């Protein structure tokens, strides 16, 4: 599985960056790039990284989140994680970074992204 990123601006000026898939050494840089692109258009009110569909994140992915946080912070913009999958939440907790990203609770009403069907049905 790869990483897919979508961005949108919410009515209150918050930029939501939704992450889908697996975040690893191959694609982690895309997170910081997404933040940088939106900062180039002028700083938003806040960044929200919606991680409900993140099935996997490794140490390089965690480092990319921290780099994105620092990039936003230098521009005076707060970056928080919203609706982390249970796996993403556990990784942030284990690394001691949960508080840095706003101490979000794991998304309890989201389907577990790691439980995808082996065969797709039409």
């Amino acid at each position: 599985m790869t990483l897919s990123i979508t961005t949108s601006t919410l009515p209150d000026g918050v930029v939501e960056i939704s992450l889908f898939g697996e975040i690893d050494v191959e694609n982690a840089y895309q997170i910081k790039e997404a933040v940088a692109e939106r900062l180039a258009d002028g700083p938003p009110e806040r960044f929200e990284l919606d991680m409900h569909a993140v099935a996997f994140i490794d140490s390089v992915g965690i480092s990319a989140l921290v780099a994105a946080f620092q990039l936003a912070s230098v521009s005076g913009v707060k970056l928080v994680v919203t609706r982390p999958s249970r796996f993403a939440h556990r990784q942030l907790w284990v690394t001691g970074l949960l508080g840095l990203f706003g101490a979000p609770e794991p998304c309890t009403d989201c389907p577990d992204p790691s439980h995808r069907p082996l065969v797709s049905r039409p």
Side-chain angles (χ1 to χ4, degrees):
M1 184 181 254
T2 60
L3 176 65
S4 175
I5 299 175
T6 60
T7 61
S8 58
T9 303
L10 304 177
D12 57 358
V14 170
V15 170
E16 182 179 65
I17 300 174
S18 300
L19 308 172
F20 304 88
E22 297 178 355
I23 305 169
D24 58 25
V25 68
E26 297 291 323
N27 55 35
Y29 70 92
Q30 294 175 19
I31 298 168
K32 186 177 175 187
E33 283 184 356
V35 170
E37 286 175 12
R38 293 311 288 253
L39 284 171
D41 295 335
E45 183 67 28
R46 180 176 72 245
F47 284 107
E48 293 184 356
L49 296 181
D50 182 346
M51 296 181 65
H52 81 275
V54 172
F56 175 81
I57 183 168
D58 66 8
S59 60
V60 177
I62 295 292
S63 294
L65 292 179
V66 172
F69 177 89
Q70 292 171 333
L71 180 62
S73 184
V74 166
S75 297
V77 180
K78 185 166 181 70
L79 183 145
V80 297
V81 167
T82 60
R83 302 180 343 134
S85 65
R86 290 192 179 280
F87 185 86
H89 183 271
R90 184 173 57 246
Q91 295 302 92
L92 292 173
W93 181 79
V94 166
T95 57
L97 295 172
L98 196 59
L100 181 70
F101 294 106
E105 292 295 320
C107 186
T108 56
D109 61 340
C110 302
D112 185 349
S114 65
H115 291 127
R116 351 181 240 287
L118 296 177
V119 176
S120 60
R121 296 182 181 160

